[in-house]
Amino acid sequence: MSCVSGPPTAPRSLYLTHTELSSDLGVSQVVRPLAALARRGVRVHVVGTTRPEGLRDDWARDHLDRAGVTTTEVPLRMGEDYASAGLHARFLAAATGAARRHRPDVVHARGYHSAFIAWLLRRALGLPYIFDARGYWVDEQLNRGRPFSTRLRLAVARSTESALYRDAAAIVQLTEVAVDDCRRHVFGLHSAKPCVAIPTACDFAAFQLPRESELRERIERPIVAWVGSINQAYFIEESIQLVEAMKRREPRLEFHVYTAQVDEARRVFSRRVAPARIARLAQ
């Protein structure tokens, strides 16, 4: 009688994200990393938002299929906000169904909205979740000029934020500063648990280093770049002031902008810091 056991069962992960899967951000930070994870043996099912027409005949859909990642799509409705109650209700129903069908070992929640769904799944089904916090959502709303209308609503938001941290099995932050805030209980008291900084993933297969001579030329001509979304959560005015100060110290410095919001970039930056290049981010 053999005592040798068979291969261990592949770990199963349920990944929740409110980031639109076929957007530039969704492709670079969700689709590509999840496909890579699946190719390393993890069984991944993702519940994510999509355009109203879904992911049919879409590059993101094909990329996930080839890697063996299964999906449950939650189509956005026209004019719908990510914080809307209707979207949350549909997302919760989709995530609950996916959890019951796929029986994951862990739920990975990307961002606060998805973490709230994961928190509800933990209460209903007992599933542990990883809180991929990615920022300070409550404070970001305040910085964007969207203050909570009453002190009670702000208190509820802070209390919910604290619960998301308290009940998570582990926490992922983008920076060591945010990790330190976790350890100093900035987000409320919670038991000791893994809390690590993992910077935003980059798919190196999608990029190539330039030739050494070209790279040297770029280094000799300083470039500072804004890469990604344009909104007040990223301190636009402070960033403009920083670029202005850098240009005063180094007149040769060029400012580049790479974003999906090309028109917004021209409106926000052109008058004061005159970007040498504004380019649309490609998938």
Side-chain angles (χ1 to χ4, degrees), residues 55-165:
L55 283 175
R56 289 179 295 276
D57 300 321
D58 187 272
W59 182 93
R61 166 75 276 161
D62 294 340
H63 197 69
L64 291 172
D65 280 346
R66 288 196 301 272
V69 177
T70 55
T71 62
T72 297
E73 301 171 24
V74 185
L76 290 165
R77 293 174 179 170
M78 295 300 295
E80 190 169 45
D81 184 85
Y82 285 109
S84 71
L87 176 59
H88 271 36
R90 299 198 313 279
F91 202 105
L92 176 60
T96 302
R100 286 176 170 154
R101 290 192 305 274
H102 297 279
R103 299 182 178 276
D105 300 304
V106 67
V107 177
H108 187 119
R110 185 181 193 275
Y112 275 61
H113 296 307
S114 297
F116 180 66
I117 302 297
W119 183 80
L120 293 174
L121 290 179
R122 178 183 179 276
R123 292 177 64 86
L125 303 177
L127 293 172
Y129 68 91
I130 298 171
F131 182 16
D132 189 353
R134 313 196 61 77
Y136 302 70
W137 186 81
V138 176
D139 297 282
E140 288 168 8
Q141 302 313 299
L142 297 172
N143 289 333
R144 291 179 187 180
R146 301 176 184 173
F148 296 87
S149 57
T150 66
R151 290 184 178 180
L152 177 59
R153 289 188 176 184
L154 179 58
V156 169
R158 293 290 190 197
S159 177
T160 302
E161 178 181 58
S162 179
L164 298 182
Y165 278 92

